[in-house]
Amino acid sequence: MKPFDYQRARDLETAAEAAQAGGRIIAGGTNLLDLMKLQVMTPERLVDITRIPGLDRIESDGPGLRIGALVRNSDLSADMRIRTGYPVLARALLAGASGQIRNKATTGGNLLQRTRCPYFYDPAMACNKREPGAGCAAIGGVSRMLAILGTSEACRAAHPSDMAVALRALEAEVETRRADGATRRLGLDALYRLPGERPDLETTLEPGEIITAVLLPAPLPGATQSYRKIRDRASYAFALVSVAAVVRMEDARIATASLAFGGIGARPWKDPEVDAMLSGQSPSAELFVRAADRLLAQAETDEGNDFKREMTRRALIAVMREATGLAPASTGTDKAEVPA
């Protein structure tokens, strides 16, 4: 690890000024410190925001909730307001990391964690996300954990966060504070960039802009929420495919559906056309297959990750069967097998 300066910010203004000047914000450090040890990231200064008051609270925000950026993942998943009103979020957090990591990881840090693409983590490999213009060694390489939606010729990396997938299904927003003191609210689709030609620019945050909170809308009355994650091992591996769903039934029809996906996208993936296709329809296996076909219409795969097409299809169908009460298929077609 290279030498660095350490600064403890006393308030958001101090932290924003330091970050605008090139400092790197740190809270739990569960991802950043690993990257520094590997010299994938080498900030000259760390700006510790953990002592800034008011950022570690879960508070009412009208009919919804305001989750401070410093709320620990363990506290968030255990909060009864989350477990009862937003169970998809609690399940995603519990599936995302061990208890030790959840005790350190923060809400804001989880949203801003870096990809687990092995080529990003290896400084000997070309990576446009780590070094713009260096190339992408993942193209033609081992692709098992890479994205199949939203990629570009410059980057194939998948977004790693379980929490962000659940938040996309819940239509959550983030609250930020800019260096000039101005605040704004962003949906997750507006927060995350697709890689395009500049995969190193992962979010739309400006220099010195800090995430201060996540804003959850009121729970949808009568909705079923579920989170399904398929991974290489049962204990805290990153998703090959994950699905977060918020589905409300009315008169035996799908009144509304909000689905988000992890493990397959360059950012937490949501396709509004899939939600629209499902909403207002009677649940059926044929409908769910068509929704999966629409979701995967633009997927780009190779030999190493083509299995994600069928795995995603089966996961979507299984989650929608569960959410709508449609009887499970008796043929085993909803079983997702993980290839070696």
Side-chain angles (χ1 to χ4, degrees), residues 161-188:
S161 174
D162 288 273
M163 184 185 79
V165 175
L167 292 177
R168 284 217 76 181
L170 290 167
E171 305 287 357
E173 296 180 309
V174 295
E175 174 189 272
T176 72
R177 186 191 188 280
R178 298 180 179 178
D180 62 4
T183 62
R184 59 173 176 158
R185 294 170 63 146
L186 299 168
L188 267 66

Tab-separated table of all heavy atoms in Angstrom, residues 161-188:
chain	number	residue	atom	x	y	z
A	161	SER	N	-23.300	-4.682	-6.633
A	161	SER	CA	-24.104	-4.454	-5.428
A	161	SER	C	-25.426	-5.216	-5.440
A	161	SER	O	-26.217	-5.096	-6.378
A	161	SER	CB	-24.388	-2.958	-5.260
A	161	SER	OG	-25.279	-2.728	-4.189
A	162	ASP	N	-25.701	-5.963	-4.369
A	162	ASP	CA	-27.024	-6.551	-4.159
A	162	ASP	C	-28.011	-5.478	-3.710
A	162	ASP	O	-29.157	-5.448	-4.162
A	162	ASP	CB	-26.949	-7.648	-3.089
A	162	ASP	CG	-26.249	-8.899	-3.565
A	162	ASP	OD1	-26.909	-9.765	-4.146
A	162	ASP	OD2	-25.017	-9.007	-3.360
A	163	MET	N	-27.581	-4.628	-2.802
A	163	MET	CA	-28.457	-3.599	-2.270
A	163	MET	C	-29.007	-2.700	-3.364
A	163	MET	O	-30.195	-2.349	-3.386
A	163	MET	CB	-27.713	-2.750	-1.233
A	163	MET	CG	-28.593	-1.705	-0.553
A	163	MET	SD	-27.676	-0.615	0.554
A	163	MET	CE	-26.942	0.497	-0.650
A	164	ALA	N	-28.153	-2.314	-4.316
A	164	ALA	CA	-28.584	-1.408	-5.372
A	164	ALA	C	-29.642	-2.036	-6.264
A	164	ALA	O	-30.515	-1.336	-6.798
A	164	ALA	CB	-27.374	-0.970	-6.206
A	165	VAL	N	-29.588	-3.359	-6.443
A	165	VAL	CA	-30.600	-4.048	-7.246
A	165	VAL	C	-31.961	-3.931	-6.565
A	165	VAL	O	-32.969	-3.612	-7.195
A	165	VAL	CB	-30.209	-5.518	-7.465
A	165	VAL	CG1	-31.318	-6.273	-8.205
A	165	VAL	CG2	-28.903	-5.606	-8.242
A	166	ALA	N	-31.996	-4.178	-5.249
A	166	ALA	CA	-33.253	-4.041	-4.510
A	166	ALA	C	-33.751	-2.601	-4.545
A	166	ALA	O	-34.956	-2.349	-4.705
A	166	ALA	CB	-33.060	-4.502	-3.067
A	167	LEU	N	-32.856	-1.639	-4.414
A	167	LEU	CA	-33.259	-0.240	-4.429
A	167	LEU	C	-33.835	0.167	-5.780
A	167	LEU	O	-34.752	0.990	-5.848
A	167	LEU	CB	-32.078	0.659	-4.063
A	167	LEU	CG	-31.595	0.559	-2.608
A	167	LEU	CD1	-30.380	1.455	-2.397
A	167	LEU	CD2	-32.707	0.941	-1.632
A	168	ARG	N	-33.310	-0.391	-6.870
A	168	ARG	CA	-33.877	-0.091	-8.186
A	168	ARG	C	-35.295	-0.632	-8.302
A	168	ARG	O	-36.178	0.021	-8.863
A	168	ARG	CB	-33.013	-0.664	-9.294
A	168	ARG	CG	-31.747	0.126	-9.562
A	168	ARG	CD	-31.381	0.187	-11.028
A	168	ARG	NE	-32.216	1.123	-11.766
A	168	ARG	CZ	-32.112	1.359	-13.074
A	168	ARG	NH1	-31.202	0.706	-13.772
A	168	ARG	NH2	-32.908	2.194	-13.675
A	169	ALA	N	-35.532	-1.837	-7.793
A	169	ALA	CA	-36.885	-2.389	-7.834
A	169	ALA	C	-37.848	-1.556	-6.988
A	169	ALA	O	-39.033	-1.444	-7.312
A	169	ALA	CB	-36.884	-3.837	-7.364
A	170	LEU	N	-37.348	-0.964	-5.917
A	170	LEU	CA	-38.164	-0.132	-5.033
A	170	LEU	C	-38.311	1.304	-5.531
A	170	LEU	O	-39.008	2.102	-4.894
A	170	LEU	CB	-37.558	-0.117	-3.631
A	170	LEU	CG	-37.648	-1.427	-2.843
A	170	LEU	CD1	-36.738	-1.386	-1.622
A	170	LEU	CD2	-39.092	-1.716	-2.436
A	171	GLU	N	-37.664	1.648	-6.635
A	171	GLU	CA	-37.706	3.007	-7.194
A	171	GLU	C	-37.159	4.032	-6.196
A	171	GLU	O	-37.688	5.137	-6.050
A	171	GLU	CB	-39.122	3.390	-7.625
A	171	GLU	CG	-39.769	2.432	-8.603
A	171	GLU	CD	-39.185	2.533	-10.009
A	171	GLU	OE1	-38.320	3.390	-10.243
A	171	GLU	OE2	-39.605	1.735	-10.874
A	172	ALA	N	-36.092	3.662	-5.508
A	172	ALA	CA	-35.476	4.559	-4.537
A	172	ALA	C	-34.696	5.672	-5.236
A	172	ALA	O	-34.358	5.580	-6.421
A	172	ALA	CB	-34.547	3.771	-3.622
A	173	GLU	N	-34.409	6.724	-4.485
A	173	GLU	CA	-33.573	7.820	-4.958
A	173	GLU	C	-32.414	8.015	-3.983
A	173	GLU	O	-32.479	7.591	-2.828
A	173	GLU	CB	-34.370	9.123	-5.052
A	173	GLU	CG	-35.493	9.108	-6.065
A	173	GLU	CD	-36.231	10.423	-6.109
A	173	GLU	OE1	-36.642	10.902	-5.026
A	173	GLU	OE2	-36.395	10.983	-7.210
A	174	VAL	N	-31.365	8.670	-4.469
A	174	VAL	CA	-30.278	9.076	-3.575
A	174	VAL	C	-30.303	10.590	-3.440
A	174	VAL	O	-30.651	11.311	-4.376
A	174	VAL	CB	-28.893	8.605	-4.080
A	174	VAL	CG1	-28.797	7.100	-4.082
A	174	VAL	CG2	-28.588	9.170	-5.451
A	175	GLU	N	-29.944	11.035	-2.249
A	175	GLU	CA	-29.797	12.469	-1.976
A	175	GLU	C	-28.311	12.784	-1.918
A	175	GLU	O	-27.540	12.042	-1.301
A	175	GLU	CB	-30.460	12.802	-0.644
A	175	GLU	CG	-30.265	14.224	-0.158
A	175	GLU	CD	-30.764	14.369	1.266
A	175	GLU	OE1	-31.951	14.656	1.450
A	175	GLU	OE2	-29.941	14.189	2.197
A	176	THR	N	-27.893	13.832	-2.591
A	176	THR	CA	-26.476	14.202	-2.598
A	176	THR	C	-26.292	15.658	-2.191
A	176	THR	O	-27.230	16.465	-2.259
A	176	THR	CB	-25.848	13.995	-3.991
A	176	THR	OG1	-26.337	15.008	-4.899
A	176	THR	CG2	-26.159	12.614	-4.542
A	177	ARG	N	-25.061	15.963	-1.780
A	177	ARG	CA	-24.674	17.339	-1.484
A	177	ARG	C	-23.457	17.675	-2.310
A	177	ARG	O	-22.439	16.983	-2.259
A	177	ARG	CB	-24.349	17.517	-0.003
A	177	ARG	CG	-24.067	18.969	0.393
A	177	ARG	CD	-23.499	19.046	1.790
A	177	ARG	NE	-23.387	20.402	2.280
A	177	ARG	CZ	-22.403	21.247	1.970
A	177	ARG	NH1	-21.439	20.860	1.136
A	177	ARG	NH2	-22.366	22.463	2.485
A	178	ARG	N	-23.546	18.746	-3.095
A	178	ARG	CA	-22.431	19.183	-3.924
A	178	ARG	C	-21.462	20.032	-3.106
A	178	ARG	O	-21.758	20.480	-1.997
A	178	ARG	CB	-22.945	19.989	-5.115
A	178	ARG	CG	-23.845	19.202	-6.053
A	178	ARG	CD	-24.308	20.084	-7.193
A	178	ARG	NE	-25.148	19.367	-8.142
A	178	ARG	CZ	-25.712	19.912	-9.202
A	178	ARG	NH1	-25.540	21.194	-9.467
A	178	ARG	NH2	-26.468	19.191	-10.024
A	179	ALA	N	-20.305	20.269	-3.699
A	179	ALA	CA	-19.278	21.045	-3.007
A	179	ALA	C	-19.726	22.477	-2.732
A	179	ALA	O	-19.278	23.101	-1.771
A	179	ALA	CB	-17.990	21.051	-3.828
A	180	ASP	N	-20.649	23.017	-3.571
A	180	ASP	CA	-21.135	24.382	-3.358
A	180	ASP	C	-22.286	24.446	-2.365
A	180	ASP	O	-22.868	25.512	-2.140
A	180	ASP	CB	-21.552	25.024	-4.687
A	180	ASP	CG	-22.699	24.280	-5.372
A	180	ASP	OD1	-23.223	23.312	-4.783
A	180	ASP	OD2	-23.063	24.658	-6.502
A	181	GLY	N	-22.632	23.307	-1.748
A	181	GLY	CA	-23.699	23.267	-0.762
A	181	GLY	C	-25.055	22.899	-1.319
A	181	GLY	O	-25.985	22.620	-0.555
A	182	ALA	N	-25.204	22.887	-2.639
A	182	ALA	CA	-26.476	22.532	-3.251
A	182	ALA	C	-26.737	21.035	-3.099
A	182	ALA	O	-25.807	20.230	-3.057
A	182	ALA	CB	-26.477	22.917	-4.729
A	183	THR	N	-28.016	20.692	-3.002
A	183	THR	CA	-28.398	19.288	-2.896
A	183	THR	C	-29.222	18.894	-4.120
A	183	THR	O	-29.795	19.743	-4.800
A	183	THR	CB	-29.221	19.026	-1.629
A	183	THR	OG1	-30.435	19.785	-1.682
A	183	THR	CG2	-28.429	19.414	-0.387
A	184	ARG	N	-29.251	17.613	-4.394
A	184	ARG	CA	-30.121	17.113	-5.459
A	184	ARG	C	-30.531	15.682	-5.156
A	184	ARG	O	-29.930	15.008	-4.316
A	184	ARG	CB	-29.453	17.209	-6.828
A	184	ARG	CG	-28.144	16.458	-6.993
A	184	ARG	CD	-27.689	16.517	-8.448
A	184	ARG	NE	-26.388	15.891	-8.657
A	184	ARG	CZ	-25.972	15.430	-9.836
A	184	ARG	NH1	-26.745	15.530	-10.902
A	184	ARG	NH2	-24.774	14.866	-9.953
A	185	ARG	N	-31.582	15.240	-5.852
A	185	ARG	CA	-32.089	13.878	-5.729
A	185	ARG	C	-31.978	13.200	-7.079
A	185	ARG	O	-32.332	13.783	-8.106
A	185	ARG	CB	-33.544	13.883	-5.255
A	185	ARG	CG	-33.714	14.418	-3.856
A	185	ARG	CD	-35.171	14.638	-3.497
A	185	ARG	NE	-35.937	13.407	-3.494
A	185	ARG	CZ	-36.954	13.161	-2.666
A	185	ARG	NH1	-37.305	14.064	-1.758
A	185	ARG	NH2	-37.622	12.021	-2.733
A	186	LEU	N	-31.484	11.969	-7.057
A	186	LEU	CA	-31.263	11.218	-8.288
A	186	LEU	C	-31.853	9.823	-8.156
A	186	LEU	O	-31.651	9.155	-7.140
A	186	LEU	CB	-29.763	11.071	-8.585
A	186	LEU	CG	-28.927	12.323	-8.812
A	186	LEU	CD1	-27.455	11.966	-8.798
A	186	LEU	CD2	-29.308	12.964	-10.136
A	187	GLY	N	-32.577	9.363	-9.171
A	187	GLY	CA	-32.896	7.959	-9.250
A	187	GLY	C	-31.635	7.183	-9.557
A	187	GLY	O	-30.647	7.735	-10.059
A	188	LEU	N	-31.647	5.902	-9.273
A	188	LEU	CA	-30.434	5.116	-9.507
A	188	LEU	C	-30.082	5.036	-10.986
A	188	LEU	O	-28.916	4.893	-11.340
A	188	LEU	CB	-30.566	3.716	-8.901
A	188	LEU	CG	-30.017	3.590	-7.474
A	188	LEU	CD1	-30.848	4.416	-6.505
A	188	LEU	CD2	-29.958	2.150	-7.021
